[in-house]
Amino acid sequence: MGRLTTHVLDTAAGRPAAGLGVALYRIGPDGAREPVAQAATNADGRLDAPLLAGPAFAPGVYELVFDAGAYLAAQGATLTDPPFLEQIPIRFGMAEDGHYHVPLLLSPYGYATYRGS
């Protein structure tokens, strides 16, 4: 059965990003965002459960939104006002049943993502 997971690494600090808020939206055919799930990363930078799994999993277009600004501010990072990265949206498609893992590598002035395993 399909599932969607994520994790966040704070590359500037060299450790998992604990306590970072993550929201998941399903994108409709008209482009409207429908809230699906919301969670925060644990001490390992991961979520305690998949964002989607089992019967809730469905192919389609989704968007993960990472609350980077609040996390970086809480870590004491030196940020501009407004911060360069506030929220990081990552829109992606899931075309088939399977494991989709969308990690985020984060620093105050940049980020990277990829389809992990």
Side-chain angles (χ1 to χ4, degrees):
M1 300 212 56
R3 64 189 169 121
L4 171 64
T5 58
T6 188
H7 78 273
V8 184
L9 299 175
D10 182 334
T11 59
R15 62 177 177 251
L20 191 144
V22 180
L24 176 67
Y25 299 89
R26 186 181 324 267
I27 308 301
D30 62 352
R33 293 189 329 171
E34 173 192 337
V36 175
Q38 197 167 343
T41 56
N42 60 25
D44 195 34
R46 299 178 182 277
L47 303 180
D48 291 330
L51 286 160
L52 279 177
F57 183 92
V61 178
Y62 292 84
E63 186 172 271
L64 278 169
V65 179
F66 296 89
D67 197 6
Y71 165 79
L72 292 166
Q75 299 308 303
T78 302
L79 303 173
T80 57
D81 186 18
F84 181 69
L85 296 174
E86 182 61 39
Q87 292 190 328
I88 299 172
I90 300 173
R91 191 169 286 197
F92 58 97
M94 298 190 301
E96 59 196 29
D97 207 20
H99 181 198
Y100 287 80
H101 184 68
V102 183
L104 181 72
L105 307 176
L106 174 66
S107 73
Y109 293 95
Y111 65 91
T113 190
Y114 55 93
R115 181 177 176 186
S117 59

